[in-house]
Amino acid sequence: MTWIVTGGAGFIGAHVVHLLSESHDVVVFDNLSTGRLERLPAGVTVVKGSVTETDDLARLFDGHPASGVVHLAARKFAPDGTGFRPDNIDGVHNLVEAMTRAGVDRLLFASSAAVYGESGPALAAEDQPLVPVNPYGKTKLEGEQIIGETRLRSIALRQFNVVGAGPHPFAADTGPAALLPAVFRSLSEGKKLVVRGHDYPTGDGSAVRDYVHVEDVARAYVRGVELLSGSTEQRHLAVNVASGQGTSVLDLVRLAGRVAGEEVPFVLGDRRPGDAAEVVADVSRAVELGFAGRLSLEEAVRSAWESWPA
């Protein structure tokens, strides 16, 4: 059974590919703008292309008959002003149309906790109203809506804050805006970390997030593939991929310092526009369906530090 993984050479994608390829044939589809081939297991098939290009998608499905697609290709940061729409919305439209033409009817979609907006002290549950507060979250919600209106058998995995690293080489997250890489850069470069926001209505004034180990996220995708592979009925389902535990930014910074064996130098800065004060998952559905995580936040931080480039 072959599954196509779009964005499979990215940080999360590569972890998914490593685990999924243990039980399935995998084809990676990636434009390699941020993906890295060295992250992938030896021998995996790679097709270079973009979900924004319909010809690339047609070539992909013509050359690689598949049972389903794991769609991880997306733009999370848009510092160049081009916005999120071409990758995150047009890309979903193009992919769904290409799948329909090819007769592929199973889709596992990488969504985000950003669709919830401000959950506040209550846990974010899959069936609550969705009111994203930033452009990225709005595009992920629109992507879910596009897929939900199709006849595909689909699951949207709403990823919370993914941290950690797997055991394979080149597993570190070195993303430009993620918190933990920023912490480690401050340690390795001797520069002060800027903690964005210190006046939120939380215990210590910093934002509270739900951090989940990337290995648990990869297992969630494999579980999603199992559910869709065994399904013969049309369905669209959203599932939180998270730990269900809230941790403040300052607590994470202190934990990273303990793991690294040195205090992280930081200064307090202004909030980032569109950042919610607190977003923590209700994981009841994840537990019921077998998506629950196994690994602790300390294990995640330790694995990320051990994989950090020297």
Side-chain angles (χ1 to χ4, degrees), residues 205-217:
S206 66
V208 171
R209 296 290 182 264
D210 188 325
Y211 297 96
V212 56
H213 199 304
V214 68
E215 289 284 273
D216 283 333
V217 174

Side-chain angles (χ1 to χ4, degrees), residues 219-243:
R219 276 188 283 270
Y221 278 93
V222 173
R223 176 59 180 155
V225 166
E226 291 172 351
L227 287 179
L228 290 178
S229 297
S231 170
T232 58
E233 62 186 42
Q234 182 182 336
R235 61 185 297 171
H236 178 68
L237 181 68
V239 182
N240 288 335
V241 179
S243 68

Side-chain angles (χ1 to χ4, degrees), residues 87-157:
D87 296 86
N88 297 12
I89 298 176
D90 298 343
V92 172
H93 272 296
N94 294 342
L95 177 63
V96 166
E97 290 178 358
M99 290 176 64
T100 301
R101 286 194 295 270
V104 180
D105 66 351
R106 296 176 176 89
L107 176 60
L108 199 58
F109 175 60
S111 188
S112 168
V115 301
Y116 291 113
E118 176 66 85
S119 71
L123 300 179
E126 291 89 347
D127 295 330
Q128 74 181 52
L130 304 176
V131 189
V133 295
N134 59 46
Y136 173 71
K138 291 174 182 177
T139 63
K140 282 298 182 180
L141 176 56
E142 189 169 342
E144 286 194 27
Q145 292 167 338
I146 292 167
I147 294 165
E149 292 170 357
T150 71
R151 297 186 60 81
L152 299 175
R153 286 171 265 182
S154 57
I155 300 175
L157 295 186

Side-chain angles (χ1 to χ4, degrees), residues 38-304:
E38 61 265 30
R39 287 175 169 148
L40 298 172
V44 71
T45 300
V46 178
V47 176
K48 186 177 179 181
S50 173
V51 293
T52 63
E53 301 294 333
T54 56
D55 289 347
D56 289 353
L57 287 166
R59 176 170 51 86
L60 170 70
F61 286 101
D62 285 346
H64 303 278
S67 300
V69 176
V70 176
H71 182 42
L72 285 147
R75 181 185 287 266
K76 190 172 182 179
F77 310 108
D80 57 0
T82 58
F84 298 96
R85 184 171 191 92
D87 296 86
N88 297 12
I89 298 176
D90 298 343
V92 172
H93 272 296
N94 294 342
L95 177 63
V96 166
E97 290 178 358
M99 290 176 64
T100 301
R101 286 194 295 270
V104 180
D105 66 351
R106 296 176 176 89
L107 176 60
L108 199 58
F109 175 60
S111 188
S112 168
V115 301
Y116 291 113
E118 176 66 85
S119 71
L123 300 179
E126 291 89 347
D127 295 330
Q128 74 181 52
L130 304 176
V131 189
V133 295
N134 59 46
Y136 173 71
K138 291 174 182 177
T139 63
K140 282 298 182 180
L141 176 56
E142 189 169 342
E144 286 194 27
Q145 292 167 338
I146 292 167
I147 294 165
E149 292 170 357
T150 71
R151 297 186 60 81
L152 299 175
R153 286 171 265 182
S154 57
I155 300 175
L157 295 186
R158 293 176 182 163
Q159 300 167 176
F160 280 64
N161 292 66
V162 183
V163 291
H168 49 276
F170 311 107
D173 179 10
T174 56
L179 175 59
L180 205 52
V183 171
F184 293 153
R185 272 193 293 271
S186 74
L187 289 174
S188 59
E189 297 174 6
K191 298 178 180 178
K192 286 188 177 181
L193 172 75
V194 179
V195 174
R196 302 297 298 271
H198 56 89
D199 57 351
Y200 289 107
T202 60
D204 62 16
S206 66
V208 171
R209 296 290 182 264
D210 188 325
Y211 297 96
V212 56
H213 199 304
V214 68
E215 289 284 273
D216 283 333
V217 174
R219 276 188 283 270
Y221 278 93
V222 173
R223 176 59 180 155
V225 166
E226 291 172 351
L227 287 179
L228 290 178
S229 297
S231 170
T232 58
E233 62 186 42
Q234 182 182 336
R235 61 185 297 171
H236 178 68
L237 181 68
V239 182
N240 288 335
V241 179
S243 68
Q245 303 293 320
T247 302
S248 76
V249 167
L250 287 176
D251 280 343
L252 181 68
V253 170
R254 295 185 185 104
L255 174 58
R258 291 196 299 273
V259 167
E262 56 182 303
E263 187 173 335
V264 179
F266 68 86
V267 295
L268 299 175
D270 295 333
R271 301 182 187 187
R272 292 187 306 186
D275 270 6
E278 184 171 359
V279 185
V280 181
D282 180 337
V283 294
S284 302
R285 181 176 293 177
V287 171
E288 178 185 351
L289 295 175
F291 286 92
R294 309 174 189 173
L295 301 170
S296 71
L297 179 56
E298 182 167 348
E299 288 174 301
V301 173
R302 191 170 301 280
S303 67

